[in-house]
Each structure stands twice: as C-alpha cells, then as structure tokens.
Amino acid sequence: MPTTDRRAQKTRQALTDALLRLLKDTAWEDISIQQLCAEANCGRTTFYAHHPHKDSLLMAAMHTWRDSMLSQAAAPETRREPFAYLTPLVNHMTEQRAVFRSVMGRRGSGPVEREFRALVLQLLQATPPCAPHTPPAPDWDLTARFIAGGWVDLMKWWVETPSPVPSPTLMARMRQLAHNAMQPPAPG
C-alpha cells in the first residue's frame, strides 16, 4: 500500500478517535470542525480533504462499526443463536454510553438515529432467527422493522435514563419482546 494511503488512513483514524473522545463530554451539535481538528492534531484543510462536513465523519465511523457488526453477525457461531449479535451491540452501547447519549439521546442527530435504526434492521435481516436452511417467515421484513424500531427506542431510553436497568436485564427483555413479536397472529 502506498505511503499516502497509510497517511490518509492514519488521518481518518485520528479524526474518528478525536470524534469519539469529544462525544464523551460534548453533545454532537456542539462539536465544531475546529474542535475536531484540534483534537486530531490536523488542519481544517486536512479535515475537508477527507470529509465534506462533520456528519460525514460520524457516518463514516458508524459505517465502519456497522461493517464490523455485520461480519460478526454473519459468523457461523453467531448464526446458531437467535439474536446473538444483540450481546455485542448492547455491550458496545454500554461501553460507549456517553457517546450514544450524545448522538442518539434527546440532543442527538436525526440522521444518526436513522442510520443506527438501519444498522439494527440490517442485523435482523442478515440473520433471521430461524432454524438453519429454513426460510424466514413471509412477513419477516415487517416484523424485523417492528423489532428494530422497538430495540432502538429501548436503547435510546436506556442511555438517557440516569439509573437504567442493568444491561443483561435490558438484553433479556429485548430478546423476549422480539420473540413475542415473532409469534404468529392469533386466528380471527
């Protein structure tokens, strides 16, 4: 790989790391490009060479994380247990609670929430909770959208609540609610 590619990668990583550090103490809308550049030790011109605006930096970071989550969800050992990706998803949210609060909480960004909801939906669609070699239910897309919306709202509530339920309780409840949503409708 050429030197310029490595430098560009280092710069993009420095900007992403700076963003994550700033998000721990600062709401998303309060972070300026100048703050990002100072934290990443780069100039504005360098920032704009990589991202047209700060939303682009956040979306790039989310896409990297999404790709990692999707590859974990596709692993054979993960596909055996329904909703196995929920554990790393909630663990990451727990570890990065301040960051999640900043970008998804009351003062968060609508585009970020939409992107996160899309990530959760992609995880659900990539690994339908059914037996191997069994097609998902015909209305799986409808059900997956319902579950994704509920999960994202629960996660938003969890990061905003000063004394939330413990994360294992949250995960157990999320799994239970998802299983309930997958039950066939009552005849009638």
Side-chain angles (χ1 to χ4, degrees), residues 3 10 25 32 42 57 64 93 100 104 119-120 132-133 135 145 152 166 173 179:
T3 306
K10 277 181 82 170
D25 299 317
S32 69
C42 72
L57 170 61
T64 300
M93 180 186 67
F100 270 77
M104 298 256 318
L119 160 74
V120 173
H133 310 296
R145 288 175 185 283
V152 170
R173 233 11 219 135
H179 283 293

Side-chain angles (χ1 to χ4, degrees), residues 5 15 24 27-28 33 40 42 61 63 80 103-104 107 146 167 173:
D5 287 348
L15 286 166
K24 288 182 179 178
W28 168 245
I33 290 177
C42 72
H63 290 164
R80 277 180 268 206
V103 297
M104 298 256 318
R107 296 180 66 203
F146 179 78
S167 59
R173 233 11 219 135

Side-chain angles (χ1 to χ4, degrees), residues 4-17 40 50:
T4 54
D5 287 348
R6 279 194 300 249
R7 278 196 319 242
Q9 283 180 321
K10 277 181 82 170
T11 301
R12 282 193 293 274
Q13 188 61 53
L15 286 166
T16 299
D17 293 345
H50 295 279

Side-chain angles (χ1 to χ4, degrees), residues 12 17-18 30 44 46-47 50 70-71 73 78 97 115 118 141 143 173 184:
R12 282 193 293 274
D17 293 345
D30 295 336
R44 290 175 71 89
T46 301
F47 177 90
H50 295 279
L70 286 170
S71 69
T78 303
R97 186 175 178 155
E115 189 70 25
D141 186 57
T143 305
R173 233 11 219 135

Side-chain angles (χ1 to χ4, degrees), residues 42-117:
C42 72
R44 290 175 71 89
T45 303
T46 301
F47 177 90
Y48 287 116
H50 295 279
H51 299 284
H53 44 73
K54 72 176 189 171
D55 288 352
S56 168
L57 170 61
L58 181 59
M59 291 301 144
M62 286 186 69
H63 290 164
T64 300
W65 182 65
R66 176 204 61 205
D67 294 345
S68 169
M69 290 295 297
L70 286 170
S71 69
Q72 286 178 39
E77 62 275 6
T78 303
R79 294 184 68 90
R80 277 180 268 206
E81 179 190 337
F83 310 121
Y85 46 80
L86 189 57
T87 299
L89 181 67
V90 172
N91 286 344
H92 181 72
M93 180 186 67
T94 302
E95 293 163 9
Q96 299 291 330
R97 186 175 178 155
V99 172
F100 270 77
R101 186 179 302 117
S102 181
V103 297
M104 298 256 318
R106 283 188 288 275
R107 296 180 66 203
S109 166
V112 173
E113 182 179 338
R114 281 192 298 278
E115 189 70 25
F116 186 68
R117 190 178 304 265

